Amino acid sequence: SSWNLSRTGLRWPSQILSACLPISMSSNSKYSKLSEENNSKSVPLLRPHIVIVGGGFGGLYTALQLEKFKFSRLTQPKITVIDKNPRFAFLPLMYDYISDELKDWHVAPYYSSLLRGPNFEFIQAEVKSVDVNGKTVQIERITSKRNSNKTPSEAPVANIEEMSFDRLVLSSGSSTNMTERLGKSAAAIPLMSFSDAQEIKNRLQKLKRKVIATKQPVHIVVVGGNHSAVETACTAASYFDGNKNAQVSLVYPTEDVLVTARPANQEAGKEALRNLKVQQYPKSKVVNASPDQVTVEGFHGRETLNSDLTIWAAGGTPSTKNLPLTNHSCTITPQGKIVVSDKLHVESHPYVFVLGDVAEVTAPVKAKVKTNSPATGNTASRSSGRSVGASTTLSPPTVLKATAQVAMQEADCVARNLYASIMQKPLKRFEFFDLGEMLYLGKQNACLSSIGDISLTGIMAHTARRTAYLARMPTTNHQASVAADWGTQSVATPIADL
């Protein structure tokens, strides 16, 4: 848990230290109560322990950003990241992985390779409870055991323990809502993690081999009409390279797909679905999913569809519903999100920061838009009397959608405010800068609507999307390794095709 004073190199007796150094100590220390009461508003914390629950975009990027701040030897925090998975999942690129365009280590590096250094600790565990006022987290470690033949087993061994914190970051993401909708027996696969992507990829590989070997039809059903559902349907359809015996169906409750997408992306997504011959079932919902069939309830009543693989992409539930928060006064929405201030911390518990899917964040939104300004003298602008440029707009505060882009920017703000909190400096409010949206539409195809209403589709959008995500890879070392491998692949692929 908290760091020992001996690690600082100090050898003073604790009585002298407490008398001479009015520095607030960690919550484990016997001096913490006195320092919190008398000095927490004026002096920094000594060797604080930051516990981050969840290693997604919000949690992992917060930890990595913290490493960039210049703490003193005494204020350098210990950063513990807790996640039940051993690998970080760059979820927007899971479609590229499933399509065999990217490798597993490109999109799912191990936390141990990302969180390096003496200030980091990664624990693979499930969080069982969080005592907010008591500043403790109870976890159940996930470790592997060996069976009698001394071969690795995937069965976990329970190892429950408790750790204290000085600052807490909750970024535990979402879990699938499939069980709530269809029951525990539903034979469908969500796409919420790297292990889900692995299972979907393995199933698609088997179905493709079946189609090629037997010429018999196979059926894939994707549930949902949002961004992820359309990307998943396009991924599955393009995986079979136009084989007419592979049929992908998309079932969604709305009148149209991508109803919350930007207009250009919505049209590009609809066109991709048509080109890939995805069968669509609008105004419909799946009410049952067995291993080989799904039951669809729609405008024309109930219908049974054959399904060799059913993929659930109809959204998720904030994981706070499965995370017992005790001894707290947090405000939690009916959807299970924790309401935070414009500084991204909980007002009643200022040492608790929340971001990502589990946070109800209301913030102003910055965006660059095209503008027409008076002509200034060049020939092109004089002909129309106006010149085209771009300006930044700031909308009133609005509730933000939970996306990877939002979580990454929130992580920057949380890291900055954690540093300010430790150093007893003013916190800054969060503003979201809307960089646009990007969709994967199958192999070598994508669409994007970006800053200044720039829209691209096809291979250009595919390249731009891949480049943009490369720039947002977790660490510079990982960026360099992935970029080098992509470069090797781009050279090797044309040679292999000769």
Side-chain angles (χ1 to χ4, degrees), residues 53-114:
V53 176
F57 284 108
L60 176 65
Y61 283 51
T62 295
L64 296 173
Q65 284 295 113
L66 277 168
E67 190 72 357
K68 298 178 181 179
F69 288 93
K70 294 183 179 179
F71 291 94
S72 68
R73 188 178 180 185
L74 291 176
T75 58
Q76 176 65 53
K78 175 185 178 182
I79 304 167
T80 300
V81 178
I82 305 169
D83 197 278
K84 63 182 180 181
N85 299 300
R87 304 171 77 155
F88 166 69
F90 202 107
L91 289 176
L93 290 176
M94 288 298 136
Y95 315 103
D96 309 59
Y97 164 71
I98 293 172
S99 297
D100 293 323
E101 293 188 273
L102 295 181
K103 300 175 182 177
D104 59 350
W105 65 270
H106 293 166
V107 301
Y110 284 93
Y111 286 110
S112 57
S113 70
L114 302 174

Coordinates of all heavy atoms in Angstrom, one line a residue, residues 53-114:
V53 N -8.7 2.1 -10.7 CA -9.5 0.9 -10.9 C -10.0 0.9 -12.4 O -10.8 1.8 -12.8 CB -10.8 0.9 -10.0 CG1 -11.7 -0.3 -10.3 CG2 -10.3 0.9 -8.5
G54 N -9.4 0.0 -13.2 CA -9.8 -0.1 -14.6 C -8.6 0.4 -15.4 O -8.1 1.5 -15.3
G55 N -8.2 -0.5 -16.4 CA -7.0 -0.2 -17.2 C -7.4 0.1 -18.6 O -6.6 -0.1 -19.5
G56 N -8.6 0.7 -18.9 CA -9.0 1.1 -20.2 C -8.3 2.4 -20.6 O -7.3 2.8 -20.1
F57 N -8.9 3.1 -21.6 CA -8.3 4.3 -22.0 C -8.2 5.3 -20.9 O -7.2 6.0 -20.7 CB -9.2 4.9 -23.2 CG -9.0 4.2 -24.5 CD1 -10.0 3.4 -25.0 CD2 -7.8 4.4 -25.2 CE1 -9.8 2.8 -26.2 CE2 -7.6 3.8 -26.4 CZ -8.6 3.0 -26.9
G58 N -9.3 5.4 -20.1 CA -9.3 6.4 -19.0 C -8.2 6.1 -17.9 O -7.4 6.9 -17.6
G59 N -8.2 4.8 -17.4 CA -7.3 4.4 -16.4 C -5.9 4.4 -16.8 O -5.0 5.0 -16.1
L60 N -5.6 3.7 -17.9 CA -4.2 3.5 -18.3 C -3.6 4.8 -18.7 O -2.5 5.1 -18.3 CB -4.1 2.5 -19.5 CG -2.7 2.3 -20.1 CD1 -1.8 1.7 -19.1 CD2 -2.8 1.5 -21.4
Y61 N -4.3 5.6 -19.5 CA -3.8 6.9 -19.9 C -3.6 7.9 -18.8 O -2.7 8.7 -18.9 CB -4.6 7.5 -21.1 CG -4.4 6.8 -22.4 CD1 -4.5 5.4 -22.5 CD2 -4.2 7.5 -23.6 CE1 -4.3 4.7 -23.7 CE2 -4.0 6.8 -24.8 CZ -4.0 5.4 -24.8 OH -3.8 4.8 -26.0
T62 N -4.4 7.8 -17.8 CA -4.2 8.6 -16.6 C -2.9 8.3 -15.9 O -2.1 9.2 -15.6 CB -5.3 8.5 -15.6 OG1 -6.6 8.9 -16.1 CG2 -5.1 9.2 -14.3
A63 N -2.6 7.0 -15.8 CA -1.4 6.5 -15.2 C -0.2 7.0 -16.0 O 0.8 7.5 -15.4 CB -1.4 5.0 -15.0
L64 N -0.2 6.8 -17.3 CA 0.9 7.2 -18.1 C 1.1 8.7 -18.1 O 2.3 9.2 -18.2 CB 0.7 6.7 -19.5 CG 0.6 5.1 -19.7 CD1 0.3 4.7 -21.1 CD2 2.0 4.5 -19.3
Q65 N 0.0 9.5 -18.1 CA 0.2 10.9 -18.1 C 0.8 11.4 -16.8 O 1.6 12.4 -16.8 CB -1.2 11.6 -18.3 CG -1.7 11.6 -19.7 CD -0.8 12.4 -20.7 OE1 -0.1 11.9 -21.5 NE2 -0.7 13.7 -20.5
L66 N 0.5 10.7 -15.7 CA 1.0 11.1 -14.4 C 2.5 11.0 -14.4 O 3.2 11.8 -13.7 CB 0.4 10.2 -13.3 CG -0.9 10.6 -12.7 CD1 -1.5 9.5 -11.8 CD2 -0.8 11.9 -11.9
E67 N 3.1 10.1 -15.1 CA 4.5 9.9 -15.1 C 5.2 11.0 -15.8 O 6.4 11.2 -15.6 CB 4.8 8.6 -15.9 CG 6.3 8.1 -15.8 CD 6.6 7.6 -14.4 OE1 5.8 7.6 -13.5 OE2 7.8 7.1 -14.3
K68 N 4.5 11.9 -16.5 CA 5.1 13.0 -17.2 C 5.3 14.2 -16.3 O 6.0 15.2 -16.7 CB 4.3 13.4 -18.5 CG 4.2 12.3 -19.5 CD 3.3 12.6 -20.7 CE 3.2 11.5 -21.7 NZ 2.4 11.8 -22.8
F69 N 4.6 14.2 -15.2 CA 4.7 15.4 -14.3 C 5.9 15.3 -13.4 O 6.4 14.2 -13.0 CB 3.4 15.5 -13.4 CG 2.2 15.9 -14.2 CD1 1.4 15.0 -14.7 CD2 1.9 17.3 -14.4 CE1 0.2 15.4 -15.4 CE2 0.8 17.7 -15.1 CZ 0.0 16.7 -15.6
K70 N 6.5 16.4 -13.1 CA 7.7 16.5 -12.3 C 7.4 16.6 -10.8 O 7.1 17.7 -10.2 CB 8.5 17.7 -12.7 CG 9.1 17.6 -14.1 CD 10.0 18.8 -14.5 CE 10.5 18.6 -15.9 NZ 11.4 19.8 -16.2
F71 N 7.3 15.4 -10.2 CA 7.1 15.4 -8.7 C 8.5 15.4 -8.0 O 9.5 15.1 -8.6 CB 6.4 14.1 -8.3 CG 5.0 14.0 -8.7 CD1 4.7 13.3 -9.9 CD2 4.0 14.5 -8.0 CE1 3.4 13.2 -10.3 CE2 2.7 14.3 -8.3 CZ 2.4 13.7 -9.5
S72 N 8.5 15.9 -6.8 CA 9.7 15.9 -6.0 C 9.9 14.5 -5.5 O 9.1 13.6 -5.6 CB 9.7 16.9 -4.9 OG 8.7 16.4 -3.9
R73 N 11.1 14.2 -4.9 CA 11.4 12.9 -4.4 C 10.4 12.5 -3.3 O 10.0 11.3 -3.2 CB 12.8 12.9 -3.8 CG 13.3 11.5 -3.4 CD 14.7 11.6 -2.9 NE 15.2 10.3 -2.5 CZ 16.4 10.1 -1.9 NH1 17.2 11.1 -1.7 NH2 16.7 8.8 -1.6
L74 N 9.9 13.5 -2.5 CA 9.0 13.2 -1.5 C 7.6 13.1 -1.9 O 6.7 12.4 -1.3 CB 9.1 14.3 -0.4 CG 10.4 14.3 0.4 CD1 10.4 15.5 1.4 CD2 10.6 13.0 1.2
T75 N 7.2 13.8 -3.0 CA 5.8 13.8 -3.4 C 5.5 12.8 -4.6 O 4.4 12.7 -5.0 CB 5.4 15.2 -3.9 OG1 6.2 15.6 -5.0 CG2 5.5 16.2 -2.8
Q76 N 6.6 12.1 -5.1 CA 6.4 11.1 -6.2 C 5.4 10.1 -5.7 O 5.6 9.3 -4.8 CB 7.7 10.5 -6.5 CG 7.6 9.4 -7.6 CD 7.1 9.9 -8.9 OE1 7.7 10.9 -9.5 NE2 6.0 9.4 -9.5
P77 N 4.3 9.9 -6.4 CA 3.3 8.9 -6.0 C 3.6 7.5 -6.4 O 4.3 7.3 -7.4 CB 2.0 9.4 -6.7 CG 2.5 10.1 -7.9 CD 3.8 10.7 -7.6
K78 N 3.1 6.6 -5.7 CA 3.0 5.2 -6.2 C 1.7 5.0 -6.9 O 0.7 5.4 -6.4 CB 3.1 4.2 -5.0 CG 3.0 2.7 -5.4 CD 2.9 1.8 -4.2 CE 2.7 0.4 -4.6 NZ 2.7 -0.5 -3.5
I79 N 1.7 4.5 -8.1 CA 0.5 4.3 -8.9 C 0.2 2.9 -9.1 O 1.0 2.1 -9.8 CB 0.8 5.0 -10.3 CG1 1.2 6.5 -10.1 CG2 -0.5 4.9 -11.2 CD1 1.7 7.2 -11.3
T80 N -0.9 2.4 -8.6 CA -1.4 1.1 -8.8 C -2.5 1.0 -9.7 O -3.6 1.7 -9.5 CB -1.8 0.5 -7.4 OG1 -0.6 0.5 -6.5 CG2 -2.2 -1.0 -7.6
V81 N -2.4 0.2 -10.8 CA -3.5 0.1 -11.8 C -4.0 -1.4 -11.6 O -3.3 -2.3 -11.6 CB -3.0 0.2 -13.2 CG1 -4.1 0.0 -14.2 CG2 -2.4 1.7 -13.4
I82 N -5.3 -1.4 -11.5 CA -6.0 -2.7 -11.2 C -6.9 -3.0 -12.4 O -7.8 -2.2 -12.8 CB -6.8 -2.7 -9.9 CG1 -5.9 -2.4 -8.7 CG2 -7.5 -4.1 -9.7 CD1 -6.7 -2.1 -7.5
D83 N -6.8 -4.2 -13.0 CA -7.7 -4.6 -14.1 C -7.7 -6.1 -14.1 O -6.8 -6.8 -13.8 CB -7.2 -4.1 -15.5 CG -8.3 -4.1 -16.5 OD1 -8.5 -5.2 -17.1 OD2 -8.9 -3.1 -16.8
K84 N -8.9 -6.7 -14.5 CA -9.1 -8.1 -14.5 C -8.4 -8.8 -15.7 O -8.2 -10.0 -15.7 CB -10.5 -8.5 -14.4 CG -11.3 -8.0 -15.6 CD -12.8 -8.4 -15.4 CE -13.6 -8.0 -16.6 NZ -15.1 -8.3 -16.4
N85 N -8.0 -8.0 -16.7 CA -7.4 -8.5 -17.9 C -5.9 -8.3 -17.8 O -5.5 -7.2 -17.3 CB -8.0 -7.9 -19.1 CG -9.5 -8.2 -19.3 OD1 -9.9 -9.4 -19.3 ND2 -10.3 -7.2 -19.3
P86 N -5.1 -9.1 -18.4 CA -3.6 -8.9 -18.4 C -3.2 -7.9 -19.5 O -2.1 -7.4 -19.5 CB -3.0 -10.3 -18.6 CG -4.1 -11.0 -19.4 CD -5.4 -10.5 -18.9
R87 N -4.1 -7.7 -20.5 CA -3.7 -6.9 -21.6 C -4.6 -5.7 -21.8 O -5.9 -5.8 -21.6 CB -3.7 -7.7 -22.9 CG -2.9 -9.0 -22.8 CD -3.1 -9.9 -24.0 NE -2.4 -9.5 -25.2 CZ -2.0 -10.3 -26.1 NH1 -2.2 -11.6 -26.1 NH2 -1.4 -9.8 -27.2
F88 N -4.1 -4.6 -22.2 CA -4.8 -3.4 -22.6 C -5.5 -3.6 -23.9 O -4.9 -4.2 -24.8 CB -3.9 -2.2 -22.6 CG -4.6 -1.0 -23.3 CD1 -5.6 -0.3 -22.7 CD2 -4.1 -0.5 -24.5 CE1 -6.2 0.8 -23.3 CE2 -4.7 0.6 -25.2 CZ -5.7 1.2 -24.6
A89 N -6.7 -3.2 -24.1 CA -7.4 -3.4 -25.4 C -7.7 -2.0 -26.0 O -8.4 -1.2 -25.5 CB -8.7 -4.1 -25.1
F90 N -7.0 -1.8 -27.2 CA -7.3 -0.6 -28.0 C -8.5 -0.9 -28.8 O -8.5 -1.3 -30.0 CB -6.1 -0.3 -28.9 CG -6.0 1.1 -29.3 CD1 -5.1 2.0 -28.8 CD2 -6.9 1.6 -30.3 CE1 -5.0 3.3 -29.2 CE2 -6.9 2.9 -30.7 CZ -5.9 3.8 -30.1
L91 N -9.7 -0.7 -28.2 CA -11.0 -1.2 -28.7 C -11.3 -0.7 -30.1 O -11.8 -1.5 -30.9 CB -12.1 -0.9 -27.8 CG -12.1 -1.8 -26.5 CD1 -13.2 -1.3 -25.6 CD2 -12.3 -3.2 -26.8
P92 N -11.0 0.5 -30.5 CA -11.4 1.0 -31.9 C -10.6 0.2 -33.0 O -11.1 0.2 -34.1 CB -11.0 2.4 -31.9 CG -11.0 2.9 -30.5 CD -10.6 1.7 -29.7
L93 N -9.5 -0.5 -32.6 CA -8.8 -1.2 -33.6 C -9.0 -2.7 -33.5 O -8.4 -3.5 -34.2 CB -7.3 -1.0 -33.5 CG -6.8 0.4 -33.9 CD1 -5.3 0.6 -33.6 CD2 -7.1 0.7 -35.3
M94 N -10.0 -3.2 -32.7 CA -10.3 -4.6 -32.7 C -10.9 -5.1 -34.0 O -10.7 -6.3 -34.3 CB -11.3 -4.9 -31.5 CG -10.8 -4.7 -30.2 SD -9.4 -5.9 -29.8 CE -8.3 -4.8 -29.0
Y95 N -11.6 -4.3 -34.7 CA -12.1 -4.7 -36.0 C -11.0 -5.0 -37.0 O -11.0 -6.0 -37.8 CB -13.0 -3.6 -36.6 CG -14.0 -3.0 -35.6 CD1 -13.7 -1.8 -35.0 CD2 -15.1 -3.7 -35.2 CE1 -14.6 -1.3 -34.0 CE2 -15.9 -3.2 -34.2 CZ -15.7 -2.0 -33.6 OH -16.5 -1.5 -32.7
D96 N -9.9 -4.2 -37.0 CA -8.8 -4.4 -37.8 C -8.1 -5.7 -37.4 O -7.6 -6.5 -38.3 CB -7.8 -3.3 -37.7 CG -8.4 -1.9 -37.9 OD1 -9.3 -1.6 -37.1 OD2 -8.0 -1.2 -38.8
Y97 N -8.0 -6.0 -36.1 CA -7.4 -7.3 -35.7 C -8.3 -8.5 -36.1 O -7.7 -9.5 -36.6 CB -7.3 -7.3 -34.1 CG -7.1 -8.6 -33.5 CD1 -5.9 -9.3 -33.7 CD2 -8.1 -9.3 -32.8 CE1 -5.6 -10.5 -33.1 CE2 -7.9 -10.5 -32.3 CZ -6.7 -11.1 -32.4 OH -6.5 -12.4 -31.9
I98 N -9.6 -8.4 -36.0 CA -10.5 -9.5 -36.4 C -10.3 -9.7 -37.9 O -10.3 -10.9 -38.4 CB -11.9 -9.2 -36.0 CG1 -12.1 -9.2 -34.5 CG2 -12.9 -10.2 -36.7 CD1 -13.5 -8.7 -34.1
S99 N -10.1 -8.7 -38.7 CA -10.0 -8.8 -40.1 C -8.6 -9.2 -40.6 O -8.3 -9.2 -41.8 CB -10.4 -7.5 -40.8 OG -11.7 -7.1 -40.5
D100 N -7.7 -9.5 -39.7 CA -6.3 -9.9 -40.0 C -5.5 -8.8 -40.6 O -4.5 -9.1 -41.2 CB -6.3 -11.1 -40.9 CG -6.9 -12.4 -40.3 OD1 -6.6 -12.6 -39.1 OD2 -7.6 -13.1 -41.0
E101 N -5.9 -7.6 -40.4 CA -5.1 -6.4 -40.9 C -4.1 -6.0 -39.8 O -3.1 -5.4 -40.2 CB -6.0 -5.3 -41.2 CG -6.9 -5.5 -42.4 CD -7.7 -4.2 -42.8 OE1 -8.8 -4.0 -42.2 OE2 -7.2 -3.5 -43.7
L102 N -4.3 -6.3 -38.6 CA -3.4 -6.0 -37.5 C -3.1 -7.2 -36.6 O -4.0 -8.1 -36.6 CB -3.9 -4.9 -36.6 CG -4.1 -3.5 -37.3 CD1 -4.6 -2.5 -36.3 CD2 -2.8 -3.0 -37.9
K103 N -2.0 -7.2 -35.9 CA -1.6 -8.3 -35.1 C -2.1 -8.1 -33.6 O -2.4 -7.0 -33.3 CB -0.1 -8.5 -35.1 CG 0.5 -8.8 -36.4 CD 2.0 -8.8 -36.4 CE 2.6 -9.1 -37.8 NZ 4.1 -9.1 -37.8
D104 N -2.1 -9.2 -32.9 CA -2.7 -9.0 -31.5 C -1.9 -8.1 -30.7 O -2.5 -7.3 -29.9 CB -2.7 -10.4 -30.8 CG -1.4 -11.1 -30.7 OD1 -0.4 -10.6 -31.4 OD2 -1.3 -12.1 -30.0
W105 N -0.6 -8.1 -30.8 CA 0.2 -7.2 -29.9 C 0.1 -5.7 -30.3 O 0.4 -4.8 -29.6 CB 1.7 -7.6 -29.8 CG 2.5 -7.6 -31.1 CD1 2.6 -8.5 -32.1 CD2 3.2 -6.4 -31.6 NE1 3.4 -8.1 -33.1 CE2 3.8 -6.8 -32.9 CE3 3.5 -5.2 -31.1 CZ2 4.6 -5.9 -33.6 CZ3 4.3 -4.3 -31.8 CH2 4.9 -4.7 -33.1
H106 N -0.3 -5.5 -31.6 CA -0.5 -4.1 -32.0 C -1.6 -3.5 -31.2 O -1.5 -2.3 -30.8 CB -0.9 -4.1 -33.5 CG 0.1 -4.5 -34.5 ND1 -0.1 -4.8 -35.8 CD2 1.5 -4.6 -34.3 CE1 1.0 -5.1 -36.4 NE2 2.0 -5.0 -35.5
V107 N -2.7 -4.2 -31.0 CA -3.9 -3.7 -30.4 C -4.2 -4.1 -29.0 O -5.0 -3.5 -28.3 CB -5.2 -4.1 -31.3 CG1 -5.0 -3.6 -32.7 CG2 -5.4 -5.6 -31.2
A108 N -3.4 -5.0 -28.5 CA -3.6 -5.5 -27.1 C -2.2 -5.8 -26.4 O -1.9 -6.9 -26.1 CB -4.5 -6.7 -27.1
P109 N -1.4 -4.8 -26.2 CA -0.2 -5.0 -25.5 C -0.4 -5.3 -24.0 O -1.4 -5.0 -23.4 CB 0.6 -3.6 -25.6 CG -0.6 -2.6 -25.7 CD -1.6 -3.3 -26.5
Y110 N 0.5 -6.1 -23.4 CA 0.4 -6.4 -22.0 C 0.7 -5.2 -21.1 O 1.5 -4.3 -21.5 CB 1.4 -7.5 -21.6 CG 1.0 -8.9 -22.1 CD1 1.4 -9.4 -23.4 CD2 0.2 -9.7 -21.4 CE1 1.0 -10.6 -23.8 CE2 -0.2 -10.9 -21.8 CZ 0.2 -11.4 -23.0 OH -0.2 -12.7 -23.5
Y111 N -0.1 -5.1 -20.1 CA 0.1 -4.0 -19.1 C 1.6 -3.9 -18.6 O 2.1 -2.9 -18.4 CB -0.9 -4.1 -18.0 CG -2.3 -3.7 -18.3 CD1 -3.3 -4.7 -18.4 CD2 -2.6 -2.4 -18.6 CE1 -4.6 -4.4 -18.7 CE2 -4.0 -2.1 -18.9 CZ -4.9 -3.1 -19.0 OH -6.2 -2.7 -19.3
S112 N 2.1 -5.1 -18.4 CA 3.5 -5.2 -17.9 C 4.5 -4.5 -18.8 O 5.6 -4.1 -18.4 CB 3.9 -6.7 -17.7 OG 3.8 -7.4 -18.9
S113 N 4.2 -4.5 -20.1 CA 5.1 -3.8 -21.1 C 4.9 -2.3 -21.2 O 5.7 -1.6 -21.7 CB 4.9 -4.5 -22.5 OG 3.7 -4.1 -23.0
L114 N 3.7 -1.9 -20.7 CA 3.4 -0.4 -20.8 C 3.7 0.3 -19.4 O 4.1 1.4 -19.5 CB 1.9 -0.3 -21.1 CG 1.4 -0.9 -22.4 CD1 -0.1 -0.8 -22.5 CD2 2.1 -0.3 -23.6

